């Protein structure tokens, strides 16, 4: 653990100067989705996201800072790796009280701030800090992707025209159990039970069972994409004069037996870490495909720089990715990911 902490501290800190002219002064919308793999984004199944990627900056080599959704959510809101931002563990993972979050920074800069989430686990105080309007599903509640979008639209309308808004929208789907539009013939829980009983190879899961799971996963992703399409249809014609900046990513990926296991929060394999990341603004961002390695810890410094938010003493573990609407050429760089839970600790 000592070595892991030491390695996590060997990062480059960046900061933004408060008072400089913002590159974007309109609304900022952060859309996050649980457990969406980058390779499941396609024009056929996710036309809304494919359109955003084509029109904006699409980072095709992006990775989560952890395969645990709460740890990675905290990282993207703080720009710090889990061991630096206090977001380690399972259900207790959340931004540390000592670290300023994106919502707090935007609030201090005069933005109205809102959070709409169908993931009850984001109700921890660390995730709620800085938001003036909070709507989070309670444990046992199920909000469809469409309901999340409708609540987000209402929240944006309630913010009014006087000040720009920072709105964080979080979709719990496609997090397991992956029910899709119809229940698959096998669940992740059943597959894990078979593995625990000693099943190996094809005895873990038949091809038909696996395809039914993948079908349910694709259906959940398609539902989220349709909800994002609904958001875009409402946001674009009603945007403030400075336009809307939208950043989309997912908290982590998902394994489907590529390495003999299913789900996330247990390994740092590519399937559990590779995520989509899109930055879109018709008014201030030029379209391009960026293939260099980027990470969740780059999101906060990027938004700090674009909106000229007040610099903070803790710095960041990532770098700003955009300047004057164009992708910054950072050169070769390493991207770190961590998984710190009671059962295992991986860098």
């Amino acid at each position: 653990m000592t070595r892991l902490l030491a390695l996590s501290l060997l990062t480059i800190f960046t900061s933004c100067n408060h008072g400089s002219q913002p590159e974007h002064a309109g609304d900022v919308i952060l859309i996050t989705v649980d457990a969406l793999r980058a390779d499941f984004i396609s024009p056929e199944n996710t036309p809304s996201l494919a359109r955003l990627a084509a029109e904006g900056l699409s980072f095709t080599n992006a990775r989560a800072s952890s395969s645990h959704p709460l740890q990675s959510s905290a990282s993207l809101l703080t720009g710090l790796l889990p061991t630096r931002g206090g977001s380690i563990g399972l259900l207790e993972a959340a931004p540390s009280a000592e670290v300023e979050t994106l919502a707090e920074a935007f609030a201090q800069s005069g933005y109205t701030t809102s959070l709409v989430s169908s993931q009850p686990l984001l109700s921890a105080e660390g995730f709620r800090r800085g938001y003036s309007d909070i709507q989070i599903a309670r444990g046992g509640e199920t909000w469809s992707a469409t309901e999340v979008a409708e609540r987000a639209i209402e929240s944006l309308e309630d913010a009014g025209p006087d000040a720009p808004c920072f709105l964080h929208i979080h979709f719990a789907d496609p997090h397991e159990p992956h029910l899709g539009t119809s229940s698959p013939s096998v669940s992740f829980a059943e597959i894990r039970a078979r593995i625990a009983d000693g099943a190996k190879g094809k005895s873990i899961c038949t091809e038909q069972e696996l395809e039914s799971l993948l079908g349910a996963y694709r259906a959940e992703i398609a539902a989220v994409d349709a909800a994002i399409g609904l958001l875009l249809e409402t946001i674009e014609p009603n945007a403030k004069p400075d336009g809307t900046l939208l950043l989309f990513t997912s908290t982590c990926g998902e394994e489907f037996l590529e390495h003999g296991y299913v789900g996330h929060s247990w390994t740092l394999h590519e399937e559990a870490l590779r995520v989509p990341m899109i930055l879109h603004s018709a008014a201030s961002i030029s379209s391009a495909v960026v293939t260099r390695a980027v990470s969740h810890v780059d999101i906060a410094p990027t938004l700090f720089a674009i909106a000229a938010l007040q610099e903070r003493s803790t710095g960041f573990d990532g770098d700003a990715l955009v300047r004057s609407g164009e992708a910054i050429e950072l050169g070769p760089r390493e991207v770190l990911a961590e998984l710190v839970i009671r059962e295992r600790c991986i860098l």
Side-chain angles (χ1 to χ4, degrees):
M1 185 65 171
T2 301
R3 177 176 176 270
L4 177 59
L5 287 169
L7 285 169
S8 300
L9 290 170
L10 293 176
T11 53
I12 298 174
F13 298 159
T14 61
S15 63
C16 313
N17 294 321
H18 184 57
S20 61
Q21 188 69 23
E23 297 180 16
H24 175 85
D27 294 334
V28 177
I29 300 178
L30 172 64
I31 301 178
T32 52
V33 181
D34 275 340
L36 171 56
R37 281 170 51 158
D39 56 349
F40 277 74
I41 302 295
S42 69
E44 296 77 23
N45 199 49
T46 56
S48 298
L49 291 176
R51 180 201 140 194
L52 285 177
E55 295 178 356
L57 270 179
S58 177
F59 297 91
T60 59
N61 197 13
R63 290 174 180 81
S65 296
S66 175
S67 62
H68 186 289
L70 293 184
Q71 292 182 25
S72 62
S73 292
S75 287
L76 67 88
L77 291 174
T78 62
L80 300 175
L81 288 163
T83 48
R84 277 240 304 148
S87 54
I88 60 176
L90 286 172
L91 299 181
E92 67 272 27
S96 167
E98 289 74 38
V99 179
E100 183 183 54
T101 66
L102 276 173
E104 291 176 301
F106 274 105
Q108 290 178 13
S109 295
Y111 284 68
T112 61
T113 53
S114 301
L115 169 64
V116 178
S117 170
S118 57
Q119 175 54 273
L121 295 179
L122 289 188
S123 60
E125 175 59 29
F127 291 113
R128 297 164 60 97
R129 290 202 319 268
Y131 294 105
S132 56
D133 175 44
I134 300 173
Q135 300 180 61
I136 303 176
R138 297 182 179 181
E141 286 185 331
T142 300
W143 293 359
S144 69
T146 300
E147 183 175 357
V148 173
E150 291 172 345
R151 286 174 178 266
I153 290 168
E154 290 178 5
S155 181
L156 199 59
E157 292 172 347
D158 291 343
D162 297 331
C165 177
F166 172 67
L167 171 62
H168 181 189
I169 308 167
H170 185 88
F171 294 92
D173 285 340
H175 196 285
E176 64 174 285
H178 302 314
L179 299 177
T181 52
S182 60
S183 298
S185 57
V186 68
S187 68
F188 273 11
E190 291 173 299
I191 290 176
R192 293 188 185 109
R194 293 174 186 177
I195 294 172
D197 289 338
K200 297 182 182 299
K202 294 183 179 180
S203 62
I204 295 175
C205 179
T206 67
E207 291 183 7
Q208 292 78 10
E209 287 175 328
L210 181 58
E211 185 51 46
S212 73
L213 257 178
L214 290 169
Y217 183 63
R218 293 188 189 98
E220 291 171 330
I221 295 171
V224 170
D225 184 82
I228 291 173
L230 175 62
L231 276 167
L232 296 176
E233 289 174 5
T234 305
I235 291 169
E236 290 172 340
N238 299 307
K240 293 182 175 69
D242 291 313
T244 299
L245 177 73
L246 190 150
L247 196 152
F248 172 85
T249 191
S250 63
T251 60
C252 61
E254 195 82 309
E255 290 187 45
F256 286 90
L257 292 175
E258 292 87 355
H259 304 277
Y261 208 65
V262 289
H264 51 261
S265 303
W266 192 243
T267 74
L268 293 181
H269 289 306
E270 195 73 339
E271 293 80 3
L273 289 180
R274 199 71 168 265
V275 294
M277 189 185 295
I278 303 167
L279 189 62
H280 179 279
S281 172
S284 57
I285 298 294
S286 300
S287 62
V289 175
V290 181
T291 58
R292 66 174 174 273
V294 299
S295 168
H296 276 166
V297 293
D298 299 318
I299 290 176
T302 297
L303 294 182
F304 264 68
I306 291 175
L309 302 180
Q310 183 175 352
E311 65 180 61
R312 63 184 198 183
S313 60
T314 54
F316 300 100
D317 287 340
D319 300 286
L321 301 175
V322 177
R323 183 184 298 117
S324 301
E326 305 282 347
I328 298 173
E329 183 55 60
L330 297 174
R333 63 200 297 255
E334 291 182 334
V335 168
L336 299 181
E338 300 174 335
L339 176 62
V340 187
I341 57 177
R342 188 172 294 108
E343 293 82 359
R344 59 198 323 192
C345 177
I346 314 171
L347 172 64

